[in-house]
DNA sequence: ACTAATGGTTCAATAGTTGAAACAAAAACT
DNA sequence: AGTTTTTGTTTCAACTATTGAACCATTAGT
């Protein structure tokens, strides 16, 4: 891993922390030496990606992230488009809903809305979802080219739980099933006690660019709710895809 | 300059370009070798800060910027707070209005709204404003501690135009004047033919954190409009400061 | 089919990175 | 107030990632 990735990892640490963090804490969380962490933080700070409080000397996320994030948002409106749908679907189903965007071999969670039920699935934007071990991933693959699926399944397929599919053939089968159904399901493949249904979001060329998913505590997942929620994500994901393509939809 | 800064510079290049850019173009713009630019871009891409189009092989800003930008926005609401004020002030005055946030010895432009007049000042979010050569900078200094002002004026003070003040004493004087007036003015100190008025935005501890500025083509800047626009930025900057402190204001 | 331009790869020389150690400055004790 | 502990900062020799010229592969243009 190069220096740049290490430095960017510090940003991720600051994002996951809730609030400012001191040098020692950051270095410990990243597994770097204090001196190393500091040099990186100063460089990030010089570019506005991180801000150091002049009193407490703690570090926090910087304004550059907002500036560039906003620019990206204007050019590529997936996040903006998806947010109201995620909110609505969360309200409608009462379950945690999240959208992800494909990036660098993974699905990056870009928008989450949490269930209000006492027991709920919790996940935050920035969470990285592996393609082979999530409903989102299977849904994404089910909308991808055979070449892409092949390439993905040839890479290492790490095991996260006892239910994770790590065999290319098993995953292929799940992908085919998802293609038939129109949505993908997962049962504790990434985390214990979490089940999901997910649909692919496509661009105007019908290529998948991300996913929409509903994540439910497995104890609430019945065959009935799978087909019900599955139909809902599929429908909503299609609506989002249509909106991205500039096509008219039932909703606005 | 370290490797991290160089890589982050590539993000800035992509942000300034309007649309995707190829490897050669990026390397040329950054002044790096192709191999260097590519290795950095791949590393940025692996972290979601950049996305490579699989067909055209062009690079674009990535979703991580949006994700982390959004997180920062929830923790520190200057951008969110300031945006409606910038819009309103632009509409009211018909001139280009922008807000900036202090970061790493400069003011980083975080929000801009352009005049609709045929001749107007153009600047984009991400623009870096030096403290000593902009109305924003003088306004910021006028709200800063003497120690901070001293430290700033001891650093190199580059000359941008023939009107740039590069003498610590001259800048000190401008700062004192701004403190008396309640707003700062600049006349072609950073760019020819651009004049500005600016006021400081303060946090709940009265410390300056950014600025609000109106940028006008010098040909439209009369003594009258200076005092008029100056009074407006000052008033609006105070309103923003109050809102950030949670205090009630006339507007909502 | 040829040329030009762009993306991608390689590798030895180089320059930036690393982390232990020592130091300074705050906090957190007694 | 004095002592200990923690945290931030600086330094520097060993090391390792970075660099860029040269080369290859691929695509776009004529």
């Amino acid at each position: 891993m190069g220096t740049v990735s290490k430095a960017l990892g510090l940003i991720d640490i600051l994002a996951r922390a809730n609030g400012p963090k001191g040098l020692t804490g950051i270095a410990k969380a990243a597994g770097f030496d204090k001196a190393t962490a500091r040099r990186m933080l100063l460089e990030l700070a010089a570019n506005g990606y991180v801000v150091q409080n002049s009193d407490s000397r703690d570090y926090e996320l910087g304004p550059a992230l907002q500036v560039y994030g906003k620019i990206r948002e204007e050019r590529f409106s997936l996040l903006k488009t998806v947010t109201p749908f995620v909110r609505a679907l969360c309200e409608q189903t009462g379950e945690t809903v999240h959208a992800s965007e494909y990036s660098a071999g993974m699905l990056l969670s870009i928008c989450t809305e949490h269930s209000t039920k006492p027991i709920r699935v919790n996940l935050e934007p920035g969470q990285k979802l592996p393609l082979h071990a999530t409903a989102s991933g299977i849904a994404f693959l089910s909308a991808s080219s055979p070449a892409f699926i092949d390439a993905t399944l040839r890479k290492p397929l790490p095991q996260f739980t006892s239910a994770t599919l790590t065999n290319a053939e098993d995953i292929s089968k799940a992908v085919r099933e998802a293609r038939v159904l129109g949505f993908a399901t997962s049962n504790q493949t990434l985390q214990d006690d979490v089940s999901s249904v997910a649909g692919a979001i496509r661009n105007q060329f019908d290529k998948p660019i991300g996913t929409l998913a509903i994540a439910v505590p497995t104890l609430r997942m019945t065959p009935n709710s799978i087909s019900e929620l599955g139909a809902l994500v599929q429908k909503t994901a299609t609506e989002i895809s249509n909106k991205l393509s500039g096509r008219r939809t039932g909703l606005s």
Side-chain angles (χ1 to χ4, degrees), chain A:
Chain A
M1 195 183 16
T3 323
V4 176
S5 293
K6 288 183 194 168
L8 296 178
L10 298 185
I11 292 178
D12 197 62
I13 286 168
L14 285 176
R16 283 184 208 293
N18 33 344
K21 264 202 136 187
L23 172 61
T24 308
I26 295 171
K28 207 166 282 176
F32 302 153
D33 186 89
K34 274 188 306 174
T36 303
R38 196 175 114 85
R39 194 166 28 76
M40 286 174 171
L41 284 167
L42 289 184
E43 220 168 335
L44 289 170
N47 291 275
Y49 285 74
V50 147
V51 174
Q52 183 174 26
N53 185 307
S54 53
D55 296 337
S56 70
R57 287 172 180 176
D58 282 354
Y59 297 87
E60 243 299 15
L61 298 178
L65 293 164
Q66 283 169 286
V67 169
Y68 295 128
K70 218 174 132 197
I71 290 173
R72 149 96 172 166
E73 199 146 321
E74 276 160 28
R75 293 192 192 157
F76 183 71
S77 52
L78 178 58
L79 175 58
K80 216 190 306 176
T81 306
V82 110
T83 304
F85 287 96
V86 169
R87 295 238 169 88
L89 196 57
C90 173
E91 210 165 306
Q92 190 180 352
T93 61
E95 297 292 351
T96 297
V97 177
H98 61 105
S100 71
E101 180 183 340
Y102 178 78
S103 167
M106 306 211 107
L107 289 162
L108 185 65
S109 192
I110 56 172
C111 175
T112 66
E113 193 75 24
H114 288 126
S115 164
T116 51
K117 297 187 179 172
I119 296 181
R120 69 180 193 193
V121 178
N122 241 326
L123 89 169
E124 297 300 331
Q127 170 95 27
K128 283 173 185 168
L129 309 169
L131 289 175
H132 72 287
T134 59
S136 288
I138 301 300
F140 188 85
L141 289 174
S142 77
S144 301
S145 70
F148 182 84
I149 298 174
D150 271 16
T152 302
L153 298 186
R154 243 190 291 279
K155 289 173 192 164
L157 305 168
Q159 181 135 24
F160 299 101
T161 70
S162 57
T164 306
L165 302 180
T166 57
N167 178 303
E169 195 36 61
D170 291 344
I171 298 167
S172 251
K173 194 179 150 211
V175 169
R176 284 195 299 274
E177 281 173 9
R179 194 148 32 208
V180 173
L181 270 172
F183 63 89
T185 64
S186 73
N187 189 340
Q188 314 186 62
T189 52
L190 180 63
Q191 282 187 298
D192 286 326
D193 307 318
V194 174
S195 295
S196 290
V197 295
I201 298 171
R202 299 159 186 262
N203 68 6
Q204 67 263 44
F205 308 117
D206 237 50
K207 264 200 169 179
I209 55 172
T211 68
L212 183 72
I214 309 178
V216 184
T218 302
L219 55 88
R220 276 208 288 276
M221 248 333 190
T222 64
N224 258 356
S225 57
I226 288 179
S227 54
E228 194 184 316
L229 294 175
L232 271 173
V233 264
Q234 186 192 358
K235 182 175 141 254
T236 312
T238 307
E239 278 169 10
I240 293 169
S241 303
N242 287 341
K243 188 157 191 184
L244 285 170
S245 317
R247 272 175 252 161
R248 286 264 135 260
T249 81
L251 290 167
S252 160

